[in-house]
Amino acid sequence: MNLRVILCLAVALPAFVFAADPTIDNSAGRSVGSTKEERLERLKELKLQQSKSKVEAETREKLKALDLSKSEVSSYAVSSEVPLSTLLIPLIREAEQKEVSTDWSKMQFVQQNNFGRMLEVCQLFSDVMPVPTAFPLHMPPRTSIRPGHGEGWLVVQDGPTHAFFSDPSLGYVKPVFSIDAHGLSEISDMKSLSYAVGRKVDSAAVPVRCYYFYARLGEAVINELTRFSVAADGEPTRKQNLFVGGDLQQVVRDAFTSARYGPNRYEPYPDVEEFAQPEISKGCRLPTLLGIQSNAVDWQCGGLMVDPNTSTASLGGMQILGGNTFFGKSVTLTQVDTFELAKAMLSSERQQIAQSESTEQSKSTALTKGKASTTATGSTTEIGAGAGVGSKGGN
């Protein structure tokens, strides 16, 4: 009931103010005339915009088929080259923050094509990705306890910074262990270990899956952007600049949505699992607790190599994540005026646009003439009546 009252007041209030305001010019003729002219102009602009949008949608593939060179397209650019990462990463971060959780035990496997679960677990751009460690397969030879016994209480005094292991336990998502020696009895899982060393650590299972997933997600977005583009410059498999119509941020958002939900969407399952299990089974070179403490945290499982300090990952020597690279591809985007490009490059579209503009202009002219004719007729009638009265009175 309250909502209805508020809505009624909102509707009635403007009428009340209009009637009470003595400063408003109530000259009906001027108001009606100017309003019609404004509506006419708005209608004309709307029709032209609809025509423009239609041409952009219908001619995208035709423009792409022309295989236009960079020099041909660049003259219609309305933006400079923008790295994809500057537009995509904020969107991924936004999606991550909608799935905030720290319960990694939920991800036993990536199932049911669950993007939300991967974003929830990994949080690559919203949080600090855990560093996989060789502990407890590798035990530090000597340790001590930092005074105060707070976070980062464990001090490792010597030993190697990395160790190589090939063990099934490396693939456990949430390993639990029991330790009696070396004064480490308080450490029983990766959460308590993270507190002890003062840095987020984990088994290899989660980071391997996460880095691969984000690389493939970025690649899927690039594939969608390629479909949206009207021209491209560079090598599709390495570095490329895509020319697209429309606001760049919105285009990337649409591509991101399409990569998640569209008909050609990327499906994490079984792709992530089919990658992670074999790579981990090949063995992993992981930081020991001394390596974690010394910030020597680069690691490798199979062909996947990761440097957490630079947030980069490579697979078989090919960079798959980091900077502006997603699964070996580096893409920049340039916004172009597709409407003007079509007018210049496609004769059929140029004729269609010209005809559309001419039609709308003709309608506008006809309406304007109609209004002028009506006004003139009204004026003539009024003058005639006045003359007749005056003549008769003179007699």
Side-chain angles (χ1 to χ4, degrees):
M1 181 178 294
N2 291 337
L3 179 59
R4 293 179 180 175
V5 172
I6 292 172
L7 290 176
C8 289
L9 288 174
V11 173
L13 184 58
F16 172 78
V17 173
F18 179 83
D21 190 348
T23 64
I24 294 178
D25 184 358
N26 292 319
S27 177
R30 285 199 301 272
S31 297
V32 173
S34 60
T35 300
K36 286 183 177 179
E37 291 174 358
E38 291 170 359
R39 288 178 179 175
L40 183 62
E41 288 302 317
R42 285 199 296 268
L43 180 61
K44 180 180 177 182
E45 291 174 4
L46 178 62
K47 291 291 186 181
L48 290 176
Q49 183 61 41
Q50 290 174 342
S51 175
K52 183 175 180 178
S53 299
K54 181 180 178 181
V55 169
E56 287 180 350
E58 293 178 348
T59 62
R60 182 185 300 147
E61 292 303 319
K62 294 180 182 179
L63 288 170
K64 188 181 296 185
L66 293 177
D67 195 20
L68 300 172
S69 67
K70 180 178 180 180
S71 60
E72 290 176 306
V73 183
S74 294
S75 58
Y76 300 94
V78 293
S79 78
S80 57
E81 293 185 19
V82 178
L84 171 60
S85 59
T86 63
L87 300 171
L88 179 58
I89 290 178
L91 294 178
I92 298 176
R93 185 180 296 117
E94 177 184 309
E96 288 175 343
Q97 292 171 350
K98 293 179 180 178
E99 305 286 349
V100 173
S101 173
T102 56
D103 187 2
W104 297 351
S105 63
K106 292 180 180 179
M107 193 181 77
Q108 299 302 327
F109 295 96
V110 182
Q111 297 177 348
Q112 300 177 350
N113 306 326
N114 198 332
F115 258 91
R117 180 57 50 81
M118 292 299 298
L119 294 171
E120 171 188 352
V121 171
C122 297
Q123 302 280 309
L124 181 62
F125 298 115
S126 299
D127 201 350
V128 178
M129 177 63 62
V131 177
T133 176
F135 186 89
L137 296 177
H138 179 274
M139 300 292 291
R142 286 195 311 131
T143 63
S144 61
I145 298 176
R146 195 184 306 276
H149 203 65
E151 184 175 0
W153 60 266
L154 180 65
V155 179
V156 182
Q157 295 178 335
D158 53 22
T161 60
H162 290 78
F164 180 86
F165 289 96
S166 180
D167 189 279
S169 66
L170 293 173
Y172 295 171
V173 171
K174 192 178 181 182
V176 177
F177 34 83
S178 177
I179 303 169
D180 295 327
H182 302 279
L184 304 176
S185 58
E186 295 184 28
I187 300 174
S188 59
D189 55 21
M190 289 299 171
K191 184 176 181 180
S192 58
L193 179 60
S194 298
Y195 183 79
V197 298
R199 181 160 186 169
K200 195 173 182 180
V201 295
D202 196 10
S203 67
V206 172
V208 167
R209 288 173 169 86
C210 289
Y211 278 99
Y212 178 77
F213 164 73
Y214 278 89
R216 293 283 281 155
L217 173 58
E219 180 189 39
V221 173
I222 290 174
N223 292 338
E224 292 301 314
L225 287 170
T226 301
R227 293 196 308 108
F228 294 162
S229 67
V230 297
D233 177 60
E235 300 179 36
T237 58
R238 296 185 63 186
K239 187 175 182 179
Q240 194 175 36
N241 180 51
L242 299 178
F243 296 92
V244 298
D247 177 71
L248 293 183
Q249 189 169 8
Q250 185 60 49
V251 169
V252 175
R253 183 179 290 276
D254 292 342
F256 180 51
T257 301
S258 184
R260 296 183 64 182
Y261 306 112
N264 300 309
R265 64 184 176 274
Y266 169 58
E267 299 180 352
Y269 183 81
D271 183 47
V272 172
E273 290 303 315
E274 291 177 348
F275 168 80
Q277 297 290 0
E279 294 303 313
I280 294 174
S281 67
K282 293 174 185 177
C284 298
R285 177 183 176 271
L286 303 174
T288 63
L289 294 188
L290 179 64
I292 300 292
Q293 181 180 289
S294 306
N295 199 33
V297 292
D298 58 291
W299 58 274
Q300 178 177 359
C301 283
L304 179 67
M305 302 178 64
V306 177
D307 183 355
N309 288 329
T310 59
S311 299
T312 56
S314 61
L315 180 61
M318 176 185 72
Q319 184 173 336
I320 63 170
L321 197 65
N324 191 43
T325 300
F326 299 93
F327 220 85
K329 300 177 182 179
S330 180
V331 167
T332 55
L333 302 172
T334 300
Q335 181 181 350
V336 296
D337 190 331
T338 313
F339 181 68
E340 294 298 330
L341 181 62
K343 285 176 64 177
M345 299 298 174
L346 300 173
S347 58
S348 60
E349 272 65 23
R350 183 164 61 248
Q351 293 172 1
Q352 178 182 342
I353 294 168
Q355 182 178 0
S356 175
E357 290 178 335
S358 176
T359 301
E360 296 306 324
Q361 183 62 42
S362 297
K363 291 180 180 178
S364 174
T365 302
L367 287 172
T368 302
K369 286 182 177 180
K371 177 180 177 300
S373 176
T374 301
T375 303
T377 301
S379 300
T380 302
T381 302
E382 183 178 350
I383 293 171
V389 170
S391 175
K392 185 176 179 179
N395 292 331

